[in-house]
Amino acid sequence: MTTRRLTDRLGGLAFGGDYNPEQWGPEVWKEDDELMGRARVNLATVGVFSWALLEPEEGRYDFGWLDGHLDRLHAAGVAVDLATPTASPPPWFTLAHPDAMPVTPEGTRLTHGSRDTYCVAAPAYRLAARRIAGALAERYGDHPALALWHVHNEYVTLCHCDHTAAAFRVWLRARHGSLDALNDSWGTAFWSQHYTSWEQVLPPRATQWHQNPGLLVDFRRFWSDETLAAYREQRDAIRAHSDRPVTTNLMLPGYQNLDLWAFGREVDLVTVDHYPTEPGVGAAADTAFGADRARSFGGGAPWLLMEQGTNTVYAKGRVLAKEPGEILRHTLGHIARGSEGALFFQWRQSRAGAEQWHSAMVPHAGPDSRIFREVEAVGEAVARLGELAGSTVRARAAVLHDSDAWWAMDVDGLPSTELDYHATLSRAHRVLWDAGVTVDFAHPEQDLSDYRLVLAPALLLLSDAGAANLRRYVEGGGTLLVQHTAGAVDERMHARLGGYPAAPLREALGVRVEEYRPLREDEHIALSDGSRATAWSESLRTEGAQTVAAYTHGMLADGPALTRHRFGAGQAWYLSTRLDDTGYAALAARLIAESGVVPELPGLPAGVEAVTRHASDGRRWHVLINHRAEAVPLPESAHDLLTGAQANELAPGGCAVLRAH
Ligand code: GLA
């Protein structure tokens, strides 16, 4: 089952959002029908947080109200993305199954009154979730309004309870085979942590001092697998009654409780939520980051933006407005990168409840508002892009991304608290985005031969297979940039001995790192090529590589900082420090030029985003977004789907979707 079916059913790209009619009454529902028509809404996500209404007491379902809304939406020409409500169990569930409430590392058992309050490893929760998913599928599996299934909402809750402990032990037995192997893997000889029975093994509950890094990373792997199993159970309960595609909306890029590559393999189409946390061009770059990730998790297949806001959510503690035109720019930022449309949280701004100040397509002020007028315009724009459905994006550059590596950087006791996985990854993406290069994310163990340029900015943990794969990539002709701390530990969190990084990668890089030397806070160092660096330095020696830039002061003076090694048919670069923005951009420009990665639409200035979507029959569209404050002439005039006319230039902040010749 593919997303093709979704867009076929919709007759174009998706536009709409979370729709919670249970918060309103008949007068408002009538207005909703009219306004959805005006805004060209064709897909509404229904039922995300409706468990208490759908199952008012254990085992007794009330579907009557939902029947009415589905029929009404269908009559209004709006298809339904029907959610299972399992992200928010009702109060009766808590009282009946207190053991299914999540427990914090400190041992506090949480209770209802918010949402996301459940333990995914608790049998009572899993059973209740399967049951309601199956009941919904049985009733609505072939409802004519139904276009998509939305399992749960943002699986995110972590738990440390006894159910979790029991399930963790089962997982550990399967992974390690024996207690001896587990002791060896976790290095329990240190700090007297040796386990003599499985019952002694606990989830990472609060401890006096640093926790065991092997335990921490294994727990994250386990939790992701456990959550994926919970997703699969619901999906399969649905599939028994319905042939519509099934998905779950994945969390924002900054959260990493799940191995999203694994989820990407189990959903019928990847869907993600995205709320930038800074305004302006930073939000646009972050949009591209989230969208490129979403596409990559699904192996390049079309995907769908399940939620965005009509304002920026919580930028440093403030809910900032999106500037006029920004909703369209963000929408097209996602569509450019393969999204089959754009949905919002939520349709109508709630008048009560925990998110009453969260933005919506219809704000408190009602339809006579700037926001609704922009929403109407964006709906109109998306409606004009139907011919893009099913087309995909082709990137020749990739940034390596691995959940294990993220979790490895989350443990205590690393040499610097400035080692930040998410920030490092998004900076590497940003430097290519600024240069106008379309980027995939790729897993370090996947076939990389389609990419001319690969960046490995944050691979503290690198498996043996990953290290061998990167070496193969370079040998086969690729250009690889590896950044500091990469390959320092293996998949068990054991340090690599004899010099970093992992041996096969070391050979490809032609360097051997001997010592990590984090810099003092605010310490800046100069490199011999004039660039400046912060945060980190390393003592290394070349073993075949050429020094491109050397350190210029202190103990490392004259030692290599940036190196390059021709290896096989390719070249491998090693950057042992953190360059400032100018230096990093200059390095990226050099790598882009040397690897032969070309912008998809040459002739545009910096600040104009351009991504091409390719149909399987050879048709192409350039999606252009002008982040500059002045008009920009187009390299050649072309038909713009947004206006239905020839376009010769982009207005300040303007967008175009050009049919390529
Ligand atoms: C998430 C949720 C929504 C809503 C938004 C608010 O993405 O899925 O229910 O809470 O955040 O930003």
Side-chain angles (χ1 to χ4, degrees):
M1 245 166 311
T2 68
T3 182
R4 193 72 207 170
R5 292 200 42 193
L6 173 68
T7 47
D8 281 353
R9 198 174 281 275
L10 300 179
L13 300 188
F15 189 70
D18 276 46
Y19 181 42
N20 299 303
E22 62 268 42
Q23 297 175 15
W24 305 94
E27 279 311 301
V28 173
W29 300 336
K30 220 166 92 202
E31 191 190 53
D32 286 340
D33 291 345
E34 188 229 317
L35 297 182
M36 284 190 186
R38 273 170 57 186
R40 313 286 300 255
V41 165
N42 60 7
L43 187 63
T45 300
V46 178
V48 177
F49 297 113
S50 306
W51 197 342
L53 289 188
L54 289 170
E55 192 180 357
E57 61 188 73
E58 188 145 19
R60 183 171 70 78
Y61 299 108
D62 177 5
F63 291 125
W65 68 273
L66 187 56
D67 292 348
H69 291 303
L70 261 53
D71 294 348
R72 177 173 57 82
L73 288 164
H74 185 57
V78 177
V80 168
D81 165 35
L82 186 57
T84 67
T86 52
S88 204
W92 62 253
F93 179 85
T94 318
L95 299 181
H97 306 285
D99 63 306
M101 294 294 101
V103 173
T104 66
E106 294 73 27
T108 305
R109 193 178 284 283
L110 305 180
T111 188
H112 61 255
S114 180
R115 67 168 184 195
D116 302 310
T117 317
Y118 55 84
C119 168
V120 99
Y125 172 74
R126 289 277 274 275
L127 178 65
R130 278 199 306 273
R131 261 201 333 238
I132 189 137
L136 278 164
E138 204 177 337
R139 186 159 187 107
Y140 299 111
D142 58 5
H143 192 286
L146 183 69
L148 179 64
W149 283 101
H150 178 298
V151 168
H152 199 87
N153 188 69
E154 298 182 334
Y155 279 108
V156 71
T157 306
L158 280 172
C159 178
H160 302 77
C161 75
D162 289 344
H163 292 305
T164 298
F168 186 34
R169 289 178 200 124
V170 170
W171 185 93
L172 289 169
R173 277 176 195 262
R175 183 174 176 92
H176 295 284
S178 70
L179 210 49
D180 283 349
L182 177 134
N183 278 310
D184 181 45
S185 178
W186 289 3
T188 56
F190 196 72
W191 281 355
S192 188
Q193 292 174 349
H194 189 80
Y195 296 102
T196 55
S197 85
W198 287 101
E199 285 61 44
Q200 296 163 3
V201 180
L202 298 172
R205 294 179 182 159
T207 50
Q208 169 63 19
W209 192 239
H210 294 171
Q211 296 196 342
N212 182 301
L215 183 156
L216 286 174
V217 171
D218 267 355
F219 183 74
R220 305 297 282 273
R221 291 172 171 139
F222 149 72
W223 193 256
S224 180
D225 286 355
E226 189 69 23
T227 307
L228 188 56
Y231 166 75
R232 272 201 227 100
E233 284 173 12
Q234 286 203 43
R235 181 198 63 193
D236 295 347
I238 289 168
R239 279 189 181 160
H241 303 283
S242 185
D243 66 355
R244 308 299 199 276
V246 186
T247 188
T248 182
N249 53 333
L250 303 175
M251 273 303 273
L252 331 179
Y255 288 79
Q256 187 70 358
N257 286 346
L258 305 176
D259 175 1
L260 299 177
W261 295 108
F263 272 77
R265 290 189 287 272
E266 299 282 348
V267 293
D268 292 326
L269 88 154
V270 167
T271 57
V272 299
D273 301 342
H274 194 263
Y275 299 95
T277 50
E278 56 176 308
V281 82
D286 196 47
T287 295
F289 177 79
D292 285 335
R293 273 174 38 119
R295 182 184 67 253
S296 302
F297 293 140
W303 57 279
L304 180 62
L305 175 68
M306 185 63 86
E307 289 181 27
Q308 64 175 336
T310 55
N311 63 19
T312 297
V313 180
Y314 304 128
K316 300 203 172 81
R318 287 158 178 80
V319 179
L320 300 176
K322 283 189 183 172
E323 296 294 320
E326 213 171 358
I327 304 174
L328 178 64
R329 288 195 291 278
H330 290 181
T331 296
L332 291 178
H334 289 287
I335 291 175
R337 293 180 160 71
S339 179
E340 293 287 67
L343 308 184
F344 292 77
F345 180 87
Q346 59 179 328
W347 165 249
R348 192 180 273 279
Q349 188 170 21
S350 300
R351 93 186 121 187
E355 288 189 331
Q356 66 187 146
W357 302 113
H358 191 286
S359 69
M361 301 167 81
V362 183
H364 288 154
D368 183 10
S369 59
R370 172 186 78 91
I371 286 183
F372 186 70
R373 280 188 283 278
E374 281 205 40
V375 164
E376 278 184 285
V378 175
E380 177 60 32
V382 173
R384 290 166 175 261
L385 303 181
E387 65 189 65
L388 271 67
S391 58
T392 55
V393 172
R394 297 179 191 164
R396 290 288 168 264
V399 172
L400 298 183
H401 183 18
D402 178 16
S403 311
D404 277 0
W406 188 326
W407 297 330
M409 254 199 204
D410 263 359
V411 306
D412 296 325
L414 296 180
S416 165
T417 53
E418 279 192 87
L419 293 173
D420 179 327
Y421 184 87
H422 177 63
T424 308
L425 199 73
S426 61
R427 187 163 187 254
H429 181 271
R430 174 75 188 258
V431 81
L432 296 175
W433 185 80
D434 282 336
V437 170
T438 303
V439 182
D440 277 349
F441 288 94
H443 191 277
E445 292 177 21
Q446 82 177 58
D447 177 14
L448 298 168
S449 54
D450 274 352
Y451 300 113
R452 290 170 176 272
L453 174 63
V454 169
L455 267 50
L459 286 184
L460 178 86
L461 181 155
L462 181 62
S463 66
D464 291 344
N469 191 45
L470 296 188
R471 177 193 158 108
R472 221 169 15 247
Y473 167 69
V474 178
E475 227 169 358
T479 297
L480 174 70
L481 172 68
V482 175
Q483 290 176 220
H484 63 79
T485 68
V489 300
D490 66 12
E491 51 268 62
R492 305 188 307 167
M493 293 296 286
H494 287 204
R496 300 284 183 180
L497 303 182
Y500 319 118
L505 181 56
R506 213 159 67 210
E507 283 164 28
L509 292 167
V511 300
R512 175 176 176 272
V513 178
E514 191 183 314
E515 187 186 346
Y516 287 158
R517 299 175 48 83
L519 298 175
R520 288 188 306 277
E521 211 184 342
D522 302 329
E523 187 177 354
H524 291 265
I525 51 173
L527 305 187
S528 59
D529 65 353
S531 55
R532 282 157 61 84
T534 56
W536 189 266
S537 66
E538 294 177 356
S539 160
L540 60 142
R541 69 165 185 250
T542 54
E543 292 185 341
Q546 155 209 354
T547 297
V548 178
Y551 292 103
T552 59
H553 80 277
M555 277 170 61
L556 296 179
D558 300 328
L562 173 66
T563 65
R564 170 204 208 177
H565 189 218
R566 294 192 188 282
F567 184 74
Q571 49 170 331
W573 292 67
Y574 188 68
L575 174 62
S576 67
T577 182
R578 183 155 92 198
L579 292 175
D580 67 6
D581 288 349
T582 315
Y584 199 38
L587 174 58
R590 183 165 175 189
L591 294 171
I592 289 165
E594 291 195 8
S595 62
V597 175
V598 283
E600 292 187 82
L601 190 59
L604 290 167
V608 178
E609 201 173 338
V611 185
T612 305
R613 282 185 64 151
H614 301 255
S616 52
D617 61 8
R619 286 173 306 146
R620 291 179 302 135
W621 300 266
H622 301 300
V623 183
L624 303 182
I625 307 170
N626 183 11
H627 300 292
R628 298 167 70 100
E630 69 272 13
V632 172
L634 294 175
E636 53 187 279
S637 117
H639 179 83
D640 177 9
L641 300 186
L642 296 180
T643 58
Q646 286 294 110
N648 301 304
E649 67 164 28
L650 288 169
C655 305
V657 181
L658 305 178
R659 265 193 206 127
H661 301 297

